[in-house]
């Protein structure tokens, strides 16, 4: 009986031990990645309030920002999200001597560029997209026949060298619900479409679910000899319930727009290609021949919403609507110290700009001897509803112009929005729907794959309004899956992958200040590197004011709270976890790190790992394991085992093990108190306001301890924590 009890006890002890282990696979052949911290672990700087530029890019603030440990910087280009042309240099020349048209910034360094601005586009055809929010309006339903939408001239045959039919342009009307339709009236501007079709969508939403339906041409919706002017077309014999209508244009009159009248001396081919529409009307025609319009024509967001395939970047000085927010001027960006002297990733505007302006930007930076690591081509083309072949046509024109300045420039994109699945578009002639797959096909067909030196995308995995604690379990699979999708779409293995902008969600909330955000950040960075990622940029690097966030919850994308003068008040959870990642887990600097697989065997009983782990071999010969305890309530004690599966040798930490802990005992966020307003007391005030500010208490710092590593050592993981264990193995 004594033997039986002993065996049971041994079995119990072995079971406990096996269920409380982080195992690191140190087999040399199983290395999952190699990276250098000062090239790989970075942060992003975006368009921000001018007051923030003035206060943030100063030594006292930057010193605290740098304490997070992030290294290289990517300069985020926000003006394209707002459908604006970017004057990266306020000084430059206009294509029209009258001081308007297509702007090219000066490549000659003179005065210091402190700010740069976006100019709204007067020929805009999209009411709203994923960048403009609810600002601005489309000229297609603004009720003004003196304004018009015009497509991007750089997508016309004159510039692409390809038939206009290969880059068909389109506009879409969204009626928000099914309405009876049998007729359309198009008030064309110059140039107009001589060949086009009018279609309706058979599914729910052709913008958000592009493969869940098809475009059907109305029975009388094909026009093969359009004459411009105002055309009223009876699309069908009887009205039908329709929500979305598209005009697909494949052949242009190539007549000149209002910017190049017949008696003008200006000779700019961009004025005489593409398509232009003054106003759209949709509805029914009665038996007496009268047309009855059902659209709402207003110069605001209440207009009948429209979408457009592209926009002409023509504009004039009066289109600068505000200077309260700005892109950081390149001279201030490089001389303030925010780049730490490291090469920076620089964007060029592409969707709403010209190749000449992009080339002048790079020429300017080179004349200033500012170091450039990579050049990102445009911003979130998928969120601007651009089809991949159109982006590809612009990409190649811009690449040609930029490589004339410097053939060694490393160009890439397309800076996808933060999605968790493949981006799909209306099928092409071969039925292919993958946006990325078709873009890569376009480069291959033109023999230009070498112009893609890197592939970039953003990562915002969660809906900001829906972040229960359990969503943390999803992150490793989300980032690993989307990277696998991009490779399956055709991104070559030798083309590095960069996440050039990332955080929890595109919508801020107090979740960003909670411990939730810190735990997520550790899992995200570790998973990305373990999956073979080549560069990742935290967003947003510079401190910002609280924003009105999701669920009326105030939040910030930054790592700090600040006062009204942008002086830092408190570091937040992501600041401390950034320190763990950049200063404890990895060895700061230019040394190569090797990433090895690691995992724990603690789960929640439903298949979710409660503890995740990420292991690196550092250049200082130390092994470093970042353990993430995603269990919100329970601490865990773990053993750390290192095993070479090729030799079956097992190893352990030996001697001093440095332990850096960040959990609930180091940080707790206490939310703001809010109050509901039945009616705003002040113009533009939100319906829910914060009456007290949130704060962290305790608010760090990271706890540093040391213990002795040995075969039977246990390592503690507090509830909801990130812990880094670092030391050397038994030799």
């Amino acid at each position: 009986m004594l033997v039986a009890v002993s065996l049971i006890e041994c079995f119990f002890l072995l079971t406990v031990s096996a269920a409380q282990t982080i195992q690191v696979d140190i087999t040399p052949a199983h290395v999952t990645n190699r990276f250098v911290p000062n090239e790989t672990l970075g942060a992003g700087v975006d368009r921000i309030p001018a007051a923030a530029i003035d206060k943030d890019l100063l030594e006292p603030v930057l010193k605290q920002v740098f304490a997070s440990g992030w290294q290289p910087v990517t300069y985020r280009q926000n003006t394209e999200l707002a459908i604006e042309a970017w004057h990266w240099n306020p000084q430059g020349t206009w294509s029209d001597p009258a001081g308007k048209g297509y702007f090219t910034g000066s490549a000659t360094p003179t005065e210091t560029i402190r700010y740069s601005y976006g100019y709204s586009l007067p020929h805009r055809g999209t009411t709203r997209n994923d960048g403009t929010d609810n600002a601005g309006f489309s000229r297609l339903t603004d009720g003004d026949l003196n304004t018009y939408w015009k497509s991007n001239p750089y997508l016309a045959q004159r510039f692409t060298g390809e038939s206009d039919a290969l880059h068909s342009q389109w506009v879409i009307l969204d009626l928000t619900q099914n309405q009876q339709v049998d007729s359309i009236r198009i008030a064309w501007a110059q140039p107009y479409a001589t060949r086009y079709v009018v279609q309706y969508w058979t599914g729910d939403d052709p913008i958000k679910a592009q493969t869940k339906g098809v475009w059907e041409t109305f029975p009388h919706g094909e026009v093969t000899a359009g004459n411009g002017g105002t055309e009223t077309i009876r699309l069908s014999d009887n009205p039908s319930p329709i929500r979305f209508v598209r005009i697909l244009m494949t052949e242009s009159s190539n007549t000149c727009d209002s910017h190049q009248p017949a008696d003008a001396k200006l000779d700019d081919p961009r004025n005489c290609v593409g398509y232009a529409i003054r106003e759209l009307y949709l509805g029914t025609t009665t038996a007496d021949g009268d047309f009855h319009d059902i659209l709402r024509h207003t110069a605001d967001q209440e207009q009948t919403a429209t979408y457009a395939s592209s926009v002409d970047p023509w504009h004039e000085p009066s289109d600068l609507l505000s200077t309260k927010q700005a892109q950081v001027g390149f001279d201030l960006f490089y001389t303030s110290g925010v780049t730490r002297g490291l090469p920076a990733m620089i964007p060029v505007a592409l969707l709403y700009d010209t190749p000449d302006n992009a080339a002048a930007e790079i020429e300017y930076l080179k004349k200033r001897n500012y170091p450039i690591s990579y050049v990102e081509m445009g911003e979130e083309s998928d969120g601007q509803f651009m089809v991949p072949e159109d982006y590809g046509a612009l990409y190649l024109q811009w690449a040609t112009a930029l490589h004339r300045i410097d053939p060694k420039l490393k160009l890439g994109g397309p800076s996808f929005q933060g999605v968790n699945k493949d981006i799909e578009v209306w099928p092409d002639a071969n039925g292919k729907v993958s946006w990325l797959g078709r873009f890569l096909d376009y480069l291959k067909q033109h023999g230009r794959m070498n112009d893609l030196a890197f592939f970039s995308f953003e990562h915002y995995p969660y809906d900001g309004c829906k972040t229960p604690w359990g969503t943390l379990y999803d992150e490793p699979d989300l980032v690993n899956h989307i990277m696998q999708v991009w490779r399956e779409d055709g991104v070559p293995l030798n083309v590095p992958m960069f996440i050039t902008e990332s955080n929890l969600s595109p919508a801020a909330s107090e979740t960003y200040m909670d411990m939730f955000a810190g735990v997520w950040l550790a899992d995200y960075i570790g998973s990305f590197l373990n999956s073979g990622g080549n560069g990742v940029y935290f967003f947003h690097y510079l401190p910002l004011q609280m924003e009105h966030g999701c669920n009326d919850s105030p939040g910030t994308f930054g790592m700090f709270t600040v006062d009204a003068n942008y002086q830092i008040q408190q570091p937040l959870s992501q600041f401390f976890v950034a320190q763990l990642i950049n200063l404890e887990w990895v060895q700061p600097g230019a040394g190569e790190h090797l990433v090895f697989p690691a995992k724990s065997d603690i789960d929640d009983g439903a298949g979710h790992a409660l503890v995740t782990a990420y292991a690196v071999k550092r250049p200082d010969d130390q092994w470093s394991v970042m353990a993430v305890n995603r269990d919100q309530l329970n601490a865990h004690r773990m053993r750390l085992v290192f095993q070479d599966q090729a030799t079956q040798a097992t190893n352990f930490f030996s001697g001093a093990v440095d332990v850096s802990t960040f959990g609930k005992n180091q940080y707790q966020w206490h939310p703001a108190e809010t109050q509901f307003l039945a009616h705003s007391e002040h113009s533009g005030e939100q319906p829910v306001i914060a009456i007290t500010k949130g704060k962290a208490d305790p608010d760090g710092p990271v706890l540093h301890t040391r213990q002795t590593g040995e075969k039977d050592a246990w390592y503690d993981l507090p509830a909801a924590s990130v812990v880094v264990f670092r030391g050397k193995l038994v030799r």
Side-chain angles (χ1 to χ4, degrees):
M1 177 63 100
L2 292 174
V3 174
V5 171
S6 178
L7 289 174
I8 291 172
E9 288 177 344
C10 288
F11 177 77
F12 175 75
L13 291 172
L14 287 171
T15 303
V16 170
S17 177
Q20 302 287 328
T21 302
I22 292 175
Q23 183 164 305
V24 181
D25 178 359
I26 61 173
T27 312
H30 293 175
V31 170
T32 62
N33 201 356
R34 300 169 183 267
F35 71 93
V36 172
N38 69 5
E39 296 176 0
T40 303
L41 298 171
V45 174
D46 203 357
R47 175 158 63 173
I48 57 178
I53 293 175
D54 293 338
K55 302 295 184 179
D56 283 352
L57 295 176
L58 296 174
E59 194 275 338
V61 174
L62 288 179
K63 183 178 180 180
Q64 296 177 78
V65 169
F66 291 160
S68 66
W70 300 118
Q71 293 289 308
V73 174
T74 174
Y75 185 116
R76 311 312 299 149
Q77 206 282 96
N78 181 266
T79 59
E80 301 226 297
L81 304 187
I83 314 182
E84 296 173 341
W86 184 27
H87 288 216
W88 59 268
N89 187 348
Q91 306 300 317
T93 57
W94 296 88
S95 59
D96 187 332
K100 55 186 178 181
Y102 303 96
F103 184 82
T104 302
S106 173
T108 302
T110 52
E111 60 190 52
T112 297
I113 303 175
R114 187 173 184 84
Y115 314 105
S116 65
Y117 305 106
Y119 287 62
S120 64
L121 298 182
H123 299 312
R124 171 175 165 173
T126 296
T127 300
R128 66 187 71 91
N129 61 16
D130 290 325
T132 61
D133 292 323
N134 295 324
F137 57 92
S138 163
R139 275 44 174 190
L140 287 164
T141 54
D142 66 349
D144 186 351
L145 287 173
N146 293 313
T147 66
Y148 56 90
W149 162 77
K150 184 168 180 281
S151 64
N152 190 331
Y154 290 98
L155 294 173
Q157 182 174 354
R158 169 115 186 189
F159 295 95
T160 65
E162 300 174 320
S163 167
D164 283 349
L166 295 178
H167 296 283
S168 56
Q169 298 297 290
W170 47 264
V171 296
I172 292 174
L173 287 160
D174 178 3
L175 305 180
T176 70
Q177 63 184 28
N178 284 344
Q179 300 193 45
Q180 296 296 316
V181 170
D182 67 13
S183 302
I184 191 169
R185 178 172 290 169
I186 307 172
W188 292 100
Q190 304 283 353
Y192 55 89
T194 59
R195 184 180 292 271
Y196 61 96
V197 293
V198 184
Q199 303 170 313
Y200 62 92
W201 182 250
T202 63
D204 291 332
D205 192 326
I207 299 298
K208 297 179 180 178
Q210 297 197 0
T211 62
K212 306 299 183 181
V214 295
W215 288 109
E216 292 280 2
T217 300
F218 282 96
H220 310 306
E222 184 174 3
V223 177
T224 58
N227 294 312
T230 299
E231 296 181 315
T232 302
I233 305 168
R234 185 69 179 265
L235 298 170
S236 57
D237 295 331
N238 297 297
S240 299
I242 301 292
R243 176 179 172 182
F244 292 97
V245 173
R246 179 174 79 164
I247 304 170
L248 184 70
M249 295 157 274
T250 56
E251 189 175 297
S252 172
S253 65
N254 292 321
T255 48
C256 297
D257 64 25
S258 62
H259 305 309
Q260 188 158 302
D263 59 350
K265 295 181 180 180
L266 180 65
D267 182 17
D268 191 331
R270 293 171 289 191
N271 294 330
C272 307
V273 293
Y275 309 93
I277 298 175
R278 297 185 184 279
E279 197 80 5
L280 291 175
Y281 311 86
L282 190 71
T284 55
T285 300
T286 52
D288 59 8
D290 286 344
F291 173 77
H292 300 275
D293 182 32
I294 59 174
L295 304 187
R296 181 175 175 84
H297 302 266
T298 59
D300 58 33
Q301 284 285 306
E302 295 304 304
Q303 66 182 185
T304 295
T306 68
Y307 304 93
S309 54
S310 67
V311 182
D312 185 357
W314 190 100
H315 60 288
E316 50 190 316
S318 60
D319 293 316
L320 176 59
L321 303 182
S322 174
T323 58
K324 290 183 178 180
Q325 292 206 347
Q327 299 277 165
V328 180
F330 277 130
D331 291 315
L332 179 61
F333 175 73
Y334 273 105
T335 61
S336 66
V338 71
T339 67
R340 295 181 178 240
L342 297 170
M345 178 181 288
I346 296 299
V348 293
L350 177 146
L351 308 179
Y352 309 118
D353 217 303
T354 71
D356 291 342
N357 193 38
E361 173 194 330
I362 299 302
E363 186 177 359
Y364 181 95
L365 296 177
K366 293 186 73 64
K367 287 180 178 178
R368 289 286 204 192
N369 294 316
Y370 295 146
I372 301 170
S373 56
Y374 302 93
V375 178
E376 196 167 35
M377 309 282 272
E379 178 74 4
E380 297 183 20
S381 52
D382 55 324
Q384 305 299 304
F385 316 124
M386 180 167 280
V387 298
E389 291 77 14
D390 287 358
Y391 176 75
L394 298 180
Y395 188 99
L396 294 186
Q397 292 176 64
W398 265 244
T400 298
L402 296 179
H403 279 150
R404 287 196 192 105
I405 304 300
D406 182 357
K408 296 181 180 179
L409 286 175
K410 297 178 181 178
L411 312 179
S415 185
F416 280 143
Q417 298 180 100
V419 298
N420 294 325
K421 60 182 181 179
D422 200 11
I423 297 169
E424 295 182 332
V425 289
W426 309 312
D428 62 11
N430 298 316
K432 193 166 187 174
V433 298
S434 170
W435 199 107
L436 179 56
R438 282 167 49 180
F439 167 61
L440 296 172
D441 286 347
Y442 189 88
L443 296 185
K444 293 173 185 175
Q445 290 161 8
H446 291 76
R448 299 285 295 273
M449 274 299 292
N450 287 340
D451 283 305
L452 185 70
F454 67 92
F455 168 73
S456 66
F457 62 105
E458 300 175 4
H459 189 62
Y460 292 103
Y462 302 141
D463 181 334
C465 299
K466 301 174 183 177
T467 51
W469 188 269
T471 58
L472 283 175
Y473 303 149
D474 300 334
E475 176 55 31
D477 289 337
L478 289 176
V479 70
N480 179 66
H481 169 72
I482 195 61
M483 293 172 67
Q484 183 178 350
V485 165
W486 304 141
R487 292 296 186 196
E488 291 173 353
D489 281 343
V491 176
L493 291 176
N494 65 342
V495 172
M497 283 191 184
F498 299 147
I499 295 182
T500 50
E501 190 178 306
S502 59
N503 214 310
L504 280 170
S505 165
S509 74
E510 286 201 87
T511 304
Y512 281 75
M513 285 81 81
D514 189 68
M515 191 65 201
F516 180 103
V519 172
W520 168 82
L521 181 62
D523 237 358
Y524 157 56
I525 298 294
S527 299
F528 175 73
L529 293 174
N530 192 54
S531 298
N534 304 97
V536 61
Y537 295 86
F538 172 85
F539 184 84
H540 193 289
Y541 202 20
L542 300 179
L544 295 173
Q545 301 283 353
M546 290 285 188
E547 300 178 10
H548 181 261
C550 205
N551 295 327
D552 289 315
S553 173
T556 175
F557 286 89
M559 297 180 287
F560 307 90
T561 59
V562 298
D563 63 19
N565 199 36
Y566 288 92
Q567 298 306 296
I568 291 175
Q569 295 175 309
Q570 280 195 302
L572 301 173
S573 67
Q574 290 190 330
F575 169 81
F576 294 110
V577 173
Q579 288 189 318
L580 283 178
I581 294 168
N582 297 309
L583 306 179
E584 305 298 337
W585 184 51
V586 306
Q587 181 182 351
E592 183 179 68
H593 290 59
L594 305 184
V595 183
F596 289 85
K599 65 178 182 179
S600 81
D601 42 22
I602 296 180
D603 66 31
D604 66 348
H608 302 122
L610 289 175
V611 175
T612 54
Y614 307 96
V616 294
K617 176 72 178 299
R618 297 168 26 133
D620 59 6
D621 203 35
Q622 292 193 88
W623 286 86
S624 185
V625 178
M626 180 167 63
V628 184
N629 184 5
R630 306 186 297 186
D631 192 329
Q632 190 175 188
L633 301 177
N634 302 300
H636 294 281
R637 302 197 77 198
M638 311 287 299
R639 294 191 187 277
L640 279 169
V641 178
F642 299 80
Q643 185 173 51
D644 186 330
Q645 294 185 6
T647 64
Q648 294 301 305
T650 299
N651 211 327
F652 308 90
F653 276 133
S654 175
V657 178
D658 291 308
V659 182
S660 301
T661 303
F662 184 67
K664 287 184 177 180
N665 288 336
Q666 287 73 49
Y667 184 90
Q668 289 188 42
W669 178 256
H670 303 275
E673 295 181 9
T674 57
Q675 179 180 353
F676 170 72
L677 302 178
H679 299 283
S680 298
E681 298 174 6
H682 307 287
S683 176
E685 195 168 44
Q686 300 292 343
V688 173
I689 62 171
I691 55 176
T692 64
K693 292 184 177 180
K695 66 176 182 179
D697 184 22
D699 186 35
V702 171
L703 174 66
H704 297 287
T705 58
R706 179 170 285 183
Q707 70 181 84
T708 300
E710 55 188 0
K711 180 179 180 180
D712 297 323
W714 289 93
Y715 300 90
D716 291 325
L717 301 179
S721 68
V722 181
V723 185
V724 172
F725 304 99
R726 190 177 70 248
K728 294 187 177 182
L729 305 186
V730 177
R731 293 189 180 278

